[in-house]
Structures are given as structure tokens and as C-alpha cells.
Amino acid sequence: MFRKTTNKNLQGQRAFGQKRSKAQHLVEFVLFFPFLVGIIALLFEIGYGLNAGIELNNALNRAVGSASAQYRSIQNSSYRKISREIQDNTQKILASRKVPYSDTVEVQTFEVEDFTISVATYTYTYAFTLVNTFFGAIPDEFYFKSIVISNKALFLPNSYNITNTNLTNDFIDYRNSAQQYQEIPQI
């Protein structure tokens, strides 16, 4: 039904009757290559920026936990010391994780009723500027913000002295109440 044409004049032609050039693929690649590099660089920069935002969140959580662990054993620790400790620990954690521009981190700590709110802001300036030379596709800086809300009791001292007699009395009271419960007749 269908026949294969064997006309040698038609074999080297394209849809619009032009012959294929051997260097045509190379020229197309050279013209497309800068766009390919720009798209890959754009994806890398967005990935680095998002990773920096995730690292900021993790660093702030770890810094609040570290400050809580440190100041729970200290009597009368001041609010300023706790705030400064969270700021310093957040910067140290980001620097140890090799996050660029870790010195741009600013942490503000607020006390609201029974809660301590820590707000960290971070500025990531991207390094690959070639993309914006051609497109203006990404902003000059990425701004990230992370918030950790913790109970104020986490920063209060947590050391109690329980004498043996008090503990023994508590266990005896518990045992007596459990025995009374078991003595109630079941219906």
C-alpha cells in the first residue's frame, strides 16, 4: 500500500525543502547553551536560598533548646542574657553548617504573657548574577524569617530538693489510695 520513496534528491531535504547542514546542530547548541546555563544556575540559587531558610529554622530551634537547657539550672537568669544566648547560638549553628552570610542573622526575643517568642531574620544574597544580567528573574536578596514560640517556664530554674521522708510519704499515700480503690465492691 505505502511505498518507500527512493529518490536520492528527497533524502537530504527537510520539511521546507532546505538541505541539512552538518554544523547546524552545533550552532543550535551554541545558541541554546547560555539559556541552559542560566536555567540551571537559577535552579541552584533557588535551591541554595531555600536550604538557607530551612537551616535558619533548624538553627533557631536548636538555639532556643540550648539556651533553655543552659539557663534551667541557673537561678535568676536575666531576659537579656537569654536573648543574647539565642542570638549567638543561632549564628554559631548557621556558621558551623556552612550557611553563607550567617552574620546577617538577627534574633529578637519577646516575652508575651507566659510565652517567649524568638523571631530570627536572615538575608541571603545570591552569588550567580549572570541570570539577572539577561532576565532579571530572581530578586537581589532572599529574606527569611523564622519564629519559635516556647513556654517561659523552659527558661526558669528546674531543680528541686525532695527529701526522702517527703517522697516516702507520697508513695505511701498513693499506695493507700490504690488499696482503697481496690476494696470497693464491684457490682
Side-chain angles (χ1 to χ4, degrees):
M1 188 165 279
F2 294 103
R3 286 184 158 176
K4 184 177 178 184
T5 58
T6 58
N7 189 350
K8 294 193 180 211
N9 293 335
L10 295 176
Q11 285 181 352
Q13 290 185 353
R14 294 184 79 180
F16 297 106
Q18 300 169 348
K19 283 193 170 188
R20 291 184 182 177
S21 171
K22 292 183 179 182
Q24 180 179 357
H25 298 292
L26 181 62
V27 171
E28 287 175 356
F29 179 74
V30 167
L31 290 175
F32 179 70
F33 187 71
F35 295 107
L36 180 66
V37 169
I39 289 170
I40 291 172
L42 177 69
L43 293 175
F44 270 106
E45 283 298 330
I46 290 172
Y48 280 134
L50 291 176
N51 183 48
I54 292 169
E55 289 293 337
L56 172 68
N57 192 25
N58 291 337
L60 184 61
N61 281 322
R62 288 179 57 195
V64 168
S66 174
S68 170
Q70 180 179 355
Y71 286 103
R72 285 186 79 147
S73 61
I74 299 173
Q75 294 287 339
N76 299 325
S77 58
S78 72
Y79 170 73
R80 282 188 176 171
K81 284 183 182 178
I82 293 171
S83 179
R84 189 75 222 155
E85 184 72 22
I86 292 172
Q87 166 80 28
D88 292 342
N89 282 347
T90 304
Q91 281 185 344
K92 286 177 187 175
I93 292 168
L94 284 177
S96 69
R97 298 286 298 163
K98 306 285 191 255
V99 175
Y101 312 112
S102 60
D103 56 335
T104 63
V105 173
E106 292 183 21
V107 179
Q108 297 176 338
T109 306
F110 306 101
E111 287 186 349
V112 179
E113 294 181 14
D114 290 337
F115 299 101
T116 300
I117 301 171
S118 300
V119 179
T121 56
Y122 169 73
T123 304
Y124 174 77
T125 305
Y126 71 94
F128 192 74
T129 58
L130 183 63
V131 175
N132 273 0
T133 304
F134 297 113
F135 306 116
I138 54 179
D140 292 335
E141 297 175 328
F142 294 116
Y143 299 101
F144 294 99
K145 190 172 279 196
S146 181
I147 300 172
V148 174
I149 301 172
S150 53
N151 196 323
K152 199 184 292 186
L154 291 174
F155 299 100
L156 297 176
N158 189 16
S159 58
Y160 301 99
N161 293 328
I162 299 176
T163 60
N164 255 351
T165 57
N166 289 342
L167 188 58
T168 305
N169 290 338
D170 288 342
F171 282 130
I172 290 172
D173 291 343
Y174 175 73
R175 185 189 67 198
N176 291 339
S177 65
Q179 286 175 351
Q180 288 174 357
Y181 177 73
Q182 289 176 355
E183 291 173 4
I184 298 174
Q186 299 291 330
I187 298 178

